Amino acid sequence: MRLNKFLASSGIASRRKCDQLITEGKISVNGKPVTELGIVINEKKDKVFYEGRQVFLPSSFIYIKLNKPKGYACTASDEKGRKTIYELVPTEERLFSIGRLDYETEGLIILTNDGDFANKVAHPKYSIDKEYQVTIEGEIKESELAVLRKGVVIDGERMPTAKVEFMSFDGKFTKVSVVINEGMNRQVRRMFEAIGKTIKLLKRVRIGKVKLGGVRRGSWRDLTTEELDSLVRSE
Ligand code: URA
């Protein structure tokens, strides 16, 4: 296995960042610093060290989808002491999320201990679709949806275009489906704020071809081989 893939899969950093660590002489293999890029190691035999600690690949890879409830942070340890999504998954493994959701947002999160996979799938260049169900109070006009589709302007900057579809109105709340490719901070909330609407409930229901499906709030499930392949294929 290539050294940078080994390091990235172990969760050190993205492959590119790992290449940087290699050229900076921060990685050693079998006791010798390695600064050459592209070297291949025997991941079963060779001993790789970073900052004086041996680097290990996870013994087996985990890929799961979690239905994050609102009121959970997506960080490993929250500086405000709030509950985190990692408390919902019973494993000692270090897991990475593919993109994050705000504290108040619920829905689909993909978690894995395969750092290389997480970095690749989250990379903006693959621009995987993310679908959200947005609930707002009151009604929304077709002209407002059109503004969201074109990309609202926030602080002089145009937000990317989005696929926006009216779903339902029950006399009190409107549901809208929004599909975006990017993962800008609080992107969906900011889009709706820009047209003067406050989101009551924001839920991610799909990432690429992986749907939240029947996973109950606070529960998780392994990704099927098909779901996993679809994410890798969207590279
Ligand atoms: N957009 C938001 O505003 N919040 C999220 O959690 C995800 C997308």
Side-chain angles (χ1 to χ4, degrees), residues 55-75:
V55 180
F56 295 98
L57 282 180
S59 51
S60 61
F61 288 123
I62 301 171
Y63 307 92
I64 61 176
K65 56 178 174 181
L66 167 74
N67 185 349
K68 172 194 176 301
K70 58 202 277 190
Y72 281 79
C74 283
T75 41

Side-chain angles (χ1 to χ4, degrees), residues 1 38 58 84 101 108 114 178-180 182-183 186 190 198 223:
M1 184 186 285
T84 80
L101 291 176
L108 179 62
D114 181 347
V178 174
V179 180
I180 55 174
E182 303 74 12
R186 298 177 63 81
R190 285 159 69 205
T198 306
L223 290 186

Side-chain angles (χ1 to χ4, degrees), residues 25-85:
K26 296 200 169 133
I27 308 295
S28 73
V29 178
N30 301 327
K32 291 197 197 88
V34 169
T35 52
E36 193 189 321
L37 292 181
I39 77 154
V40 172
I41 60 152
N42 179 335
E43 69 275 14
K44 300 221 171 70
K45 283 201 193 136
D46 292 332
K47 292 193 172 31
V48 179
F49 277 73
Y50 167 53
E51 291 186 331
R53 288 218 201 131
Q54 190 169 356
V55 180
F56 295 98
L57 282 180
S59 51
S60 61
F61 288 123
I62 301 171
Y63 307 92
I64 61 176
K65 56 178 174 181
L66 167 74
N67 185 349
K68 172 194 176 301
K70 58 202 277 190
Y72 281 79
C74 283
T75 41
S77 71
D78 187 66
E79 77 279 4
K80 295 184 193 141
R82 300 178 298 188
K83 287 182 285 192
T84 80
I85 54 168

